[in-house]
Amino acid sequence: MAPHDLRRPFKRAAISDQQRRRELSLLRQSQNRRDAQQQARCLASSILSLNSQNPEAEIEQNDGEFETSSETDRESVTPSKDLDVRQASKLKGAEARKWFARQLMVPEWMIDVPNSLSQDWYVFARPAGKRCFVVSSNGTTVSRQRNGSILHHFPSALPAGARTRNASGTGQSYCILDCIFHEADQTYYVIDMVCWNGYSLYDCTSEFRFYWLNSKLEESGACSPPSHYHRFRFCPIPVYPCDQNGLWTAYTGEMPYVKDGLLFYNKHAHYQTGNTPLVLVWKDENCSQYVIDTDSQGQIPSQQQVVLELQNDGKLATSDDPPVVFGCLDRDFIEKTGLHPGILLRFAVSDGGLSFVDGKLENADLNYLGKANRARAFADSYSKVLFQYTVRHSPLKIDELLAAINSSKDQEDKPRDVEMAG
Amino acid sequence: MAMEVTQILLNAQSIDSTVRKQAEENLKQFQEQNLPGFFVSLAGELANDEKPVESRKLAGLILKNALDAKEQHRKFELVQRWLTLDVSAKAQIKAFLLQTLSSPAHEARSTASQVIAKVAGIELQHKQWPELLGALLSNIHQLPAHTKQATLETLGYICEEVSPDVVEQDHVNTILTAVVQGMNSSEANNDVRLAATRALCNALGFAQLNFSNDMERDYIMRVVCEATLSPDLKIRQSAFECLVAISSTYYDKLAPYMKDIFNITAKAVKEDEEPVALQAIEFWSSICDEEIDILEEYGGDFSGDSDIPCFYFIKQALPVLVPMLLETLLKQEEDQDQDEGAWNIAMAGGTCLGLVARTVGDDIVPLVMPFIEENITKPDWRQREAATYAFGSILEGPSPDKLMPLVNTALSFMLNALLQDPNNHVKDTTAWTLGRMFEFLHGSALDAPIITAANCQQIITVLLQSMKDVPNVAEKACGALYFLAQGYEDGGSSSALLTPFFKEIIQTLVTVTHREDAGESRLRTAAYETLNEVVRCSTDETAPMVMELVPHIMMELHQTLEGQRLSSDEREKQNESQGLLCGCLMVIIQKLGSSEQTKFVFMQFADQMMSLFLRVFACRSATAHEEAMLAIGALAYATGSNFIKYMQEFYRYLEMGLQNFEDYQVCAITVGVVGDLCRALEDKVLPYCDGIMTQLLKNLSSNQLHRSVKPPIFSCFGDIALAIGEYFEKYLVYAMPMLQGAAELSIHISGADDDMTEYTNSLRNGILEAYSGIFQGFKGSPKTQLLLPYAPHILQFLDSLYMEKDMDDAVTKTAIGVLGDLADTLGSNAGPLIQQSVSSKEFLIECLSSDDPLIKESADWAKLAISQATSF
């Protein structure tokens, strides 16, 4: 019960630097723990654990795969022997397919021209080939197609991409690149960078991602010609601001690869998985061999085909979020055919076509064809159906794109109205 | 049973160490052979008025120390020992103790009071000794004064010792009645009145009900206020102490008394002796503490459910309070800045003024500015110092808008004073004030910078010059530079302002650490801390200069390891230096190791640094260990898997750190470093895991280890599992039951004070992080089915957490993440289980719509994982 000491800190900072060192360390550790967990939850480990099941078999099959249709089409065709393997490990395969399909940013099709193309957008010519995720981790590199199947399993000069003696960097290091594999020159054209050397770029603008891609990829040596520890060459893609020059160069300019349409990236958009209106694809016959959808034999069907998902209530919907409903199957038909909700179904667009009121789909004249290919992970998106529809009827032409850029330029140059006061 | 102990007790206080040791040995033997007999003999000695006061006092002290210890574990043992002691011996001891309260020997009475309180502290908790309070209170009015004094003192100690919920309200009422009557001015005996006043201070916590009753509260307040006017200094001081205690315990009941209290305190501050005046100022500081807390917690919005409203006492008293405090500033002592332990009325008044500024903000400025303007140029140093101090005090609280113009005007005046003023005291306060300007009004968050290209050079030149001044001034100059650098820590474009001076700053700070007198006024510590902050704010441009610093700091650390045969003073100094140097290296490792540009070159020093750290461990100093351990964690993170080459040598120190229960900070930091190692080494950490896991499991089972270390140990399980994957299999059988047990304990937060709630949540977080790491570690392995048996309990744990509704955001985030990890790893095997759980429904939905992006992110993950696990 002695009198209490009532001294208070005098002319002292509230917190000592030692305490700060402790706290900063704790902060770093919990941040690192979070990163480690996040990484475990995300791609790299999934890819490797799936990969370790049966990599040889998958590589073999894929080597024998013959590409028949455009890869921008979601309907990627998998050979039938793949199905056997998948039936053996059915669960993993389907899981993998869905998983990977969800990890890629999927462009919407350009059905009308966005405002401010010239200020806020980039444009580049999309290489023809297989869209895939390339992941380097733990001394090896794996490329997986959108449907989850392995394309290649190889050493590369990407960080953590090969077991070389002088491999530096920590065990946590890994990269995830969004690529298109171009068969003719056996090159991975990198169209986006998702993670680099353990550093996630998901939350960075595409402006930054392209900048990072261009500076880091070259530095890493991944653009060098193939060698023992570097099986395939990687190559960045020339990206242009979407002004008149840029668009014209991307459209007509000489590229080291075969073109398959143009891709437009909004400069401010983050890497967002799934469908996004902030990346757009556009094609015409001049810049793509595959403008109109082909079937599994590579033939253009006489009627446009669409793939839709059957919902609980019998409605037929696109893959968009929220989904767009194209029609409805009646209950009897569903019961008779034993179709279950969630299944993907193929339809032909009949003579009645698609009709719109106020820019919204009002009616679709659909004809049931059958179940979609098993390798499909999702239904078509609304923008794809519409683009395919307009391509067959009144396509959006390059002149209209150029005109849109010009008109916005005109507007810029136009003096603004000034209210006169004198 | 009792034994003659007088001579032994006297011998135990002999100046002859042989005699003393012999006596201590005898006491120890007696205690070991017959504990009840030993205690009874001591109590008998204490009670016996024919014995010398020295032996009685020691007898009481030994008894007291046999009932209580600072260390939790030891305390628990002592309590158990007393509770199981022979009942008749205890009765005898207690009778002796109560009897001693009537002894004419003051020291015997006072010792007995303390022992009684210790016994009561144990027994009342267990509903024993029910007659104690009755015995003390029954005849308090008939007692002779000295017994009454001892009885009141005993009541005071008991109130300090036991928690209010074990004393019935009837007893509380009787205690308070006795105590307040003892304080009353009608009590003629000052010793009784003082004992009563001190007792009230401790008894206030028991008086919740009495303070809610207007009449009783009025009576208590009147008696306390009257006691502040007693002619006896100690009674006045103690009465003010009661007011301070009341201000924090019953803030919301004070309104009717504030006017009187202001008059009483103002008079005391002006006229009374220092110990009393200090308590009077403390009353106002304490009111500020309360109002700052309330305003911070509720942001001034009382329409909601805040249970204690702010009465704005400070704001109302402002016009009279501020002049009173300004007056105290002029009562400085000559040498207060050189004396670490100094505390006087000027310091207390200045501190209170700072708190008032934080409480009321802008309103204080016009009340203080005239004082500053009038005094700052006066020939008397006291006036200049007081004015400067007043300015420094009000820099935290008022808005930048209000302060900016004043600071911009004052800045060059202050810089000039720091170099030119003839008085050290003034320079000390001036440098401190500059530091406060930079701390609160400089940084990227503020619109208009006070440091510009135009004045930056002058500011830095003056501060560096001032670092050559006497130690206390130099220390404050270091502090000012610390805050100046901190404003640039986020690396904004304005941090380039420092670049031209960077080299000179580093050189000057290093020179300061070498000053002969750097041990005074903690100058050396301040110089290193500032150096650390300067390193933290370095940029790509200045990184090479930090790089040059590395070999230098390593050399200094090397030198501290070379000294031999040091005196204990020198060793202490050496340990302090090692801690500071390791701390500095750690900051450098974090800075240079985190940037790709500098990492490669920097890593060339890694081997040398590591061998120095290992040598630091060989010297036994907790502070240096802690700093070296932190540095090694940072180094492991920067080095990655190459760190494996140090593991063989480092491992034993790691183990030592994990075993260091005494300096639990070292233990906690070492646990964190295990996490760093796991992330750096990944599966290469495997050979060390047996040892680490064994030690961690031991730590968890120990009740000697500070509880704050346990949650990080659980998190560490997760780190290990994530690193070694399915090899964690062999630890599952030990780790899982521990996690399960802890999870069950952590569900219900009992007692629910803030500390306990915070601890429980950190425990939950640790447990959940462990589960996350284990699930993710096993993902994709054929052994995932080993985890399946644990899934029901884990889901149940998540459900219970959700039902309890008292998780904080961090736990919510981790918990929903665990749900995802479980689904991800166990897949369809756990599908039905998951679908049955509440967590996968309501909890998940709540989290999906959370505003907290981290919770949302984890919930999205869980949703995805669950949809995969349940869709096949």
Side-chain angles (χ1 to χ4, degrees), chain B residues 313-326:
Chain B
F313 292 140
I314 298 295
K315 202 175 167 137
Q316 289 167 44
L318 211 54
V320 277
L321 184 59
V322 170
M324 171 184 106
L325 293 172
L326 289 173

Side-chain angles (χ1 to χ4, degrees), chain B residues 314-376:
Chain B
I314 298 295
K315 202 175 167 137
Q316 289 167 44
L318 211 54
V320 277
L321 184 59
V322 170
M324 171 184 106
L325 293 172
L326 289 173
E327 191 97 333
T328 66
L329 294 183
L330 293 158
K331 298 183 180 171
Q332 310 96 324
E333 286 173 317
E334 290 282 354
D335 55 352
Q336 70 183 41
D337 284 324
Q338 283 90 45
D339 178 5
E340 273 291 305
W343 187 249
N344 57 44
I345 190 160
M347 296 166 89
T351 305
C352 188
L353 188 66
L355 289 167
V356 170
R358 286 177 55 199
T359 313
V360 302
D362 288 0
D363 292 352
I364 198 169
V365 177
L367 294 170
V368 173
M369 285 317 289
F371 178 84
I372 297 171
E373 282 155 8
E374 190 195 322
N375 289 290
I376 196 126

Side-chain angles (χ1 to χ4, degrees), chain B residues 50 56 90 212 229 231 369 410 439 618 777 790 810 826:
Chain B
E50 276 149 35
R56 298 175 72 180
K90 278 194 280 195
S212 309
L229 306 172
M369 285 317 289
E439 183 178 5
Y790 303 108
L826 298 181

Side-chain angles (χ1 to χ4, degrees), chain B residues 174-243:
Chain B
T174 343
I175 293 173
L176 282 174
T177 309
V179 167
V180 179
Q181 277 174 5
M183 280 179 76
N184 209 326
S185 47
S186 62
E187 172 60 55
N189 186 307
N190 273 351
D191 291 339
V192 172
R193 215 178 156 198
L194 179 61
T197 313
R198 287 182 174 168
L200 180 69
C201 214
N202 289 323
L204 283 168
F206 290 73
Q208 293 289 350
L209 271 180
N210 313 79
F211 260 83
S212 309
N213 177 318
D214 292 350
M215 206 181 69
E216 292 182 24
R217 186 183 61 241
D218 283 349
Y219 178 57
I220 296 173
M221 291 303 291
R222 182 172 65 76
V223 172
V224 173
C225 288
E226 276 172 14
T228 65
L229 306 172
S230 156
D232 185 289
L233 171 94
K234 282 188 177 151
I235 294 175
R236 290 199 307 277
Q237 183 186 353
S238 195
F240 273 111
E241 230 177 288
C242 285
L243 280 181

Side-chain angles (χ1 to χ4, degrees), chain B residues 86-381:
Chain B
D86 174 62
V87 180
S88 63
K90 278 194 280 195
Q92 236 179 319
I93 294 165
K94 288 190 269 189
F96 276 136
L97 290 173
L98 288 172
Q99 178 192 329
T100 313
L101 293 183
S102 312
S103 165
H106 174 259
E107 286 179 279
R109 292 199 307 271
S110 178
T111 311
S113 293
Q114 296 172 47
V115 183
I116 291 171
K118 291 291 174 196
V119 176
I122 298 173
E123 296 206 340
L124 295 187
Q125 198 82 37
H126 293 83
K127 306 241 175 282
Q128 296 172 9
W129 211 357
E131 67 281 11
L132 168 66
L133 292 171
L136 287 174
L137 294 164
S138 61
N139 48 0
I140 193 152
H141 304 298
Q142 287 100 56
L143 295 172
H146 69 269
T147 310
K148 195 169 170 184
Q149 175 266 335
T151 305
L152 287 166
E153 195 175 328
T154 309
L155 287 171
Y157 284 127
I158 290 173
C159 291
E160 197 173 20
E161 205 66 43
V162 309
S163 100
D165 52 358
V166 304
V167 182
E168 287 164 30
Q169 186 61 37
D170 283 354
H171 278 138
V172 171
N173 293 342
T174 343
I175 293 173
L176 282 174
T177 309
V179 167
V180 179
Q181 277 174 5
M183 280 179 76
N184 209 326
S185 47
S186 62
E187 172 60 55
N189 186 307
N190 273 351
D191 291 339
V192 172
R193 215 178 156 198
L194 179 61
T197 313
R198 287 182 174 168
L200 180 69
C201 214
N202 289 323
L204 283 168
F206 290 73
Q208 293 289 350
L209 271 180
N210 313 79
F211 260 83
S212 309
N213 177 318
D214 292 350
M215 206 181 69
E216 292 182 24
R217 186 183 61 241
D218 283 349
Y219 178 57
I220 296 173
M221 291 303 291
R222 182 172 65 76
V223 172
V224 173
C225 288
E226 276 172 14
T228 65
L229 306 172
S230 156
D232 185 289
L233 171 94
K234 282 188 177 151
I235 294 175
R236 290 199 307 277
Q237 183 186 353
S238 195
F240 273 111
E241 230 177 288
C242 285
L243 280 181
V244 172
I246 290 168
S247 71
S248 60
T249 316
Y250 301 107
Y251 168 84
D252 56 326
K253 303 278 195 301
L254 280 179
Y257 316 106
M258 284 308 277
K259 200 156 180 265
D260 288 340
I261 296 178
F262 178 81
N263 291 332
I264 294 170
T265 50
K267 189 166 155 24
V269 170
K270 219 178 236 40
E271 298 165 8
D272 212 328
E273 294 181 57
E274 188 158 72
V276 183
L278 287 175
Q279 290 291 351
I281 294 176
E282 180 60 18
F283 171 84
W284 290 100
S285 292
S286 167
I287 294 283
C288 288
D289 288 343
E290 291 302 313
E291 298 198 340
I292 289 170
D293 276 357
I294 295 172
L295 293 171
E296 259 176 21
E297 193 159 344
Y298 304 113
D301 170 25
F302 304 108
S303 56
D305 44 18
S306 65
D307 39 5
I308 300 181
C310 185
F311 287 93
Y312 298 100
F313 292 140
I314 298 295
K315 202 175 167 137
Q316 289 167 44
L318 211 54
V320 277
L321 184 59
V322 170
M324 171 184 106
L325 293 172
L326 289 173
E327 191 97 333
T328 66
L329 294 183
L330 293 158
K331 298 183 180 171
Q332 310 96 324
E333 286 173 317
E334 290 282 354
D335 55 352
Q336 70 183 41
D337 284 324
Q338 283 90 45
D339 178 5
E340 273 291 305
W343 187 249
N344 57 44
I345 190 160
M347 296 166 89
T351 305
C352 188
L353 188 66
L355 289 167
V356 170
R358 286 177 55 199
T359 313
V360 302
D362 288 0
D363 292 352
I364 198 169
V365 177
L367 294 170
V368 173
M369 285 317 289
F371 178 84
I372 297 171
E373 282 155 8
E374 190 195 322
N375 289 290
I376 196 126
T377 51
K378 282 283 158 64
D380 181 358
W381 72 264

Side-chain angles (χ1 to χ4, degrees), chain B residues 392-576:
Chain B
S393 321
I394 60 166
L395 291 174
E396 185 186 10
S399 63
D401 287 350
K402 190 92 181 172
L403 292 173
M404 269 316 182
L406 301 173
V407 167
N408 280 320
T409 319
L411 186 57
S412 66
F413 181 92
M414 295 284 168
L415 290 171
N416 197 39
L418 184 51
L419 291 187
Q420 307 293 332
D421 200 288
N423 182 279
N424 278 337
H425 200 124
V426 175
K427 287 199 277 192
D428 183 297
T429 303
T430 304
W432 170 78
T433 301
L434 283 166
R436 302 259 298 176
M437 289 179 184
F438 303 146
E439 183 178 5
F440 300 110
L441 296 160
H442 153 66
S444 58
L446 294 151
D447 299 335
I450 52 171
I451 300 171
T452 61
N455 64 16
C456 187
Q457 174 164 22
Q458 192 203 358
I459 294 170
I460 288 171
T461 310
V462 169
L463 290 180
L464 297 185
Q465 180 64 31
S466 185
M467 286 178 202
K468 302 185 177 109
D469 212 319
V470 291
N472 62 299
V473 176
E475 186 242 348
K476 301 295 186 305
C478 288
L481 187 59
Y482 183 100
F483 289 114
L484 188 149
Q486 195 171 66
Y488 295 125
E489 210 185 290
D490 53 6
S493 55
S494 58
S495 59
L497 278 180
L498 277 191
T499 307
F501 314 106
F502 207 84
K503 191 158 202 146
E504 197 189 348
I505 290 173
I506 289 187
Q507 281 167 349
T508 309
L509 287 169
V510 170
T511 312
V512 173
T513 67
H514 291 154
R515 278 173 61 153
E516 291 264 322
D517 55 3
E520 294 169 35
S521 296
R522 68 184 282 287
L523 176 57
R524 181 176 290 112
T525 306
Y528 276 114
E529 291 185 341
T530 305
L531 193 56
N532 292 345
E533 194 51 43
V534 169
V535 168
R536 287 191 194 107
C537 79
S538 63
T539 60
D540 288 350
E541 251 179 308
T542 46
M545 295 176 233
V546 177
M547 196 74 81
E548 283 169 31
L549 184 62
V550 181
H552 172 83
I553 300 282
M554 289 202 304
M555 179 55 77
E556 302 233 337
L557 183 55
H558 177 77
Q559 278 164 7
T560 68
L561 293 160
E562 293 298 288
Q564 282 163 356
R565 290 174 185 275
L566 300 173
S567 68
S568 66
D569 265 9
E570 285 168 324
R571 172 157 303 122
E572 197 180 317
K573 208 179 127 191
Q574 186 207 42
N575 288 338
E576 193 201 327

Side-chain angles (χ1 to χ4, degrees), chain B residues 539-733:
Chain B
T539 60
D540 288 350
E541 251 179 308
T542 46
M545 295 176 233
V546 177
M547 196 74 81
E548 283 169 31
L549 184 62
V550 181
H552 172 83
I553 300 282
M554 289 202 304
M555 179 55 77
E556 302 233 337
L557 183 55
H558 177 77
Q559 278 164 7
T560 68
L561 293 160
E562 293 298 288
Q564 282 163 356
R565 290 174 185 275
L566 300 173
S567 68
S568 66
D569 265 9
E570 285 168 324
R571 172 157 303 122
E572 197 180 317
K573 208 179 127 191
Q574 186 207 42
N575 288 338
E576 193 201 327
S577 293
Q578 285 169 356
L580 292 169
L581 289 161
C582 289
C584 183
L585 281 174
M586 179 216 141
V587 174
I588 296 177
I589 294 169
Q590 273 203 310
K591 184 73 192 184
L592 297 184
S594 66
S595 148
E596 291 296 327
Q597 287 194 6
T598 47
K599 189 171 169 177
F600 183 72
V601 179
F602 175 66
M603 279 307 168
Q604 296 173 335
F605 296 116
D607 286 358
Q608 267 176 291
M609 262 189 287
M610 195 61 199
S611 77
L612 287 170
F613 294 148
L614 292 174
R615 288 179 66 194
V616 171
F617 286 124
C619 315
R620 310 198 163 269
S621 149
T623 321
H625 273 206
E626 186 185 331
E627 296 283 3
M629 198 52 96
L630 278 173
I632 286 177
L635 190 63
Y637 172 64
T639 315
S641 62
N642 286 337
F643 193 83
I644 193 71
K645 63 178 171 180
Y646 308 121
M647 277 306 285
Q648 196 154 12
E649 252 188 295
F650 170 55
Y651 179 73
R652 67 194 189 99
Y653 297 112
L654 186 77
E655 202 165 59
M656 248 166 60
L658 293 177
Q659 288 162 347
N660 194 343
F661 289 7
E662 208 166 311
D663 309 301
Y664 71 90
Q665 292 274 25
V666 176
C667 187
I669 279 161
T670 313
V671 171
V673 169
V674 172
D676 283 328
L677 292 175
C678 289
R679 287 180 287 273
L681 299 176
E682 297 194 308
D683 54 354
K684 289 185 194 154
V685 78
L686 188 58
Y688 302 97
C689 285
D690 280 355
I692 292 171
M693 279 301 291
T694 309
Q695 194 54 50
L696 291 180
L697 289 163
K698 260 193 215 161
N699 287 11
L700 283 176
S701 326
S702 162
N703 46 13
Q704 288 176 52
L705 181 62
H706 195 275
R707 68 174 191 181
S708 67
V709 190
K710 294 189 178 180
I713 291 181
F714 284 124
S715 306
C716 191
F717 283 178
D719 297 337
I720 293 172
L722 202 53
I724 64 174
E726 62 181 22
Y727 294 107
F728 197 78
E729 177 190 354
K730 59 175 165 176
Y731 309 124
L732 280 180
V733 58

Side-chain angles (χ1 to χ4, degrees), chain A residues 14-280:
Chain A
I15 180 167
S16 75
D17 192 73
Q18 190 191 19
Q19 188 56 29
R20 249 190 109 210
R21 285 199 293 280
R22 255 183 228 144
E23 285 171 6
L24 287 173
S25 284
L26 283 176
L27 197 68
R28 175 183 61 74
Q29 285 168 346
S30 69
Q31 187 63 43
N32 292 346
R33 176 176 294 132
R34 206 186 131 218
D35 290 351
Q37 260 170 19
Q38 208 54 32
Q39 190 206 345
R41 285 171 186 174
C42 287
L43 275 174
S45 72
S46 290
I47 288 169
L48 291 171
S49 69
L50 288 165
N51 159 35
S52 61
Q53 291 170 51
N54 200 348
E56 299 306 318
E58 292 206 54
I59 289 171
E60 236 174 87
Q61 309 150 13
N62 280 292
D63 285 350
E65 187 181 345
F66 180 69
E67 172 145 323
T68 50
S69 68
S70 159
E71 267 289 317
T72 38
D73 180 4
R74 282 163 158 272
E75 177 113 25
S76 70
V77 175
T78 332
S80 60
K81 67 175 174 181
D82 193 22
L83 278 177
D84 299 333
V85 179
R86 295 217 176 276
Q87 269 156 0
S89 60
K90 190 167 140 199
L91 196 124
K92 278 286 178 193
E95 199 174 10
R97 211 155 53 224
K98 287 215 169 182
W99 176 273
F100 284 99
R102 279 198 185 94
Q103 300 316 307
L104 281 167
M105 177 153 74
V106 182
E108 284 194 1
W109 291 70
M110 189 187 284
I111 43 187
D112 49 29
V113 185
N115 298 327
S116 67
L117 258 188
S118 57
Q119 284 119 56
D120 292 339
W121 294 75
Y122 290 118
V123 63
F124 61 86
R126 182 196 187 281
K130 294 174 183 139
R131 173 100 184 267
C132 52
F133 251 142
V134 176
V135 178
S136 69
S137 168
N138 251 346
T140 187
T141 307
V142 176
S143 57
R144 273 188 186 267
Q145 300 184 65
R146 251 184 352 215
N147 64 3
S149 68
I150 290 186
L151 182 60
H152 298 118
H153 184 189
F154 59 104
S156 76
L158 295 173
R163 283 182 210 279
T164 51
R165 190 166 297 188
N166 56 357
S168 64
T170 63
Q172 292 102 326
S173 164
Y174 65 103
C175 300
I176 303 175
L177 303 177
D178 187 345
C179 298
I180 291 171
F181 184 67
H182 189 249
E183 286 283 348
D185 60 357
Q186 294 284 298
T187 298
Y188 280 97
Y189 286 94
V190 185
I191 62 170
D192 211 331
M193 185 175 263
V194 183
C195 290
W196 183 258
N197 214 349
Y199 179 66
S200 165
L201 296 159
Y202 273 101
D203 294 329
C204 303
T205 61
S206 57
E207 193 167 12
F208 181 80
R209 296 199 309 277
F210 287 142
Y211 158 73
W212 208 245
L213 194 164
N214 274 305
S215 51
K216 293 292 166 184
L217 194 68
E218 182 72 45
E219 245 173 66
S220 71
C223 303
S224 319
S227 62
H228 184 63
Y229 285 114
H230 183 54
R231 184 88 46 82
F232 294 100
R233 197 166 70 96
F234 286 79
C235 191
I237 284 192
V239 175
Y240 308 98
C242 194
D243 52 23
Q244 217 171 357
N245 271 337
L247 179 60
W248 194 247
T249 315
Y251 184 66
T252 60
E254 198 61 30
M255 299 292 159
Y257 48 81
V258 179
K259 290 183 210 171
D260 179 16
L262 299 180
L263 281 171
F264 297 80
Y265 273 67
N266 186 293
K267 290 180 183 174
H268 314 294
H270 291 189
Y271 195 96
Q272 181 192 338
T273 59
N275 292 332
T276 171
L278 296 177
V279 180
L280 299 169

